[in-house]
Amino acid sequence: MPRITQPLRDEHKELLPRVETLRAAADCIGAAPVTELRDAVDAAYTFLDGHLIPHAKAEEAALYPMVARMMGAREATATMIREHVEIGRMVTELGVLRGRLGGETLTPVTANYLRYVLYGLHALVKMHFFNEEEVFLPLLDARLGEAEARELFARMERVAHEAMAGAR
Ligand SMILES: [Fe+2]
Ligand SMILES: [Fe+2]
């Protein structure tokens, strides 16, 4: 029988290959021309700001309150919300670094900082996804009714679309 949270798992599955591009972009630093690195960073930033952050907003608006309710404690999702904040902060840093990739070469300071942000985001986002999938979603699979799930997914989609429109 398919799990009730399958749409959320499918969404993560769709996002994960794009999360892997962060690591690939970091691998480019010092190994590929700056123009190539610039394209990779642009694509990574567009994905994070335009897709991943709206996904996180949708979770905070609909998924996390539902999980908190099921766990019987508002604090149950606090660590995951804190991770969203850190992801958002690092995406902002990536946006700033993007503005420093206009020349033919990178300074060692920029190269190191960019490496830190890209590898850091890659590890953080992946870990965050696994935590959601392995801790939160099984809880919902066990307790969420079909109508409740439909309502939850519709609300998440609405919030994500609003956030995506705002990101443009
Ligand atoms: Fe999340
Ligand atoms: Fe997620």
Side-chain angles (χ1 to χ4, degrees), residues 12 55-56 59 63-64 80 84 87 128-129 132:
H12 272 188
H55 169 81
E59 287 174 344
L63 180 71
Y64 287 9
M80 296 297 276
H84 282 175
I87 290 167
H128 181 83
F129 273 29
E132 280 170 353

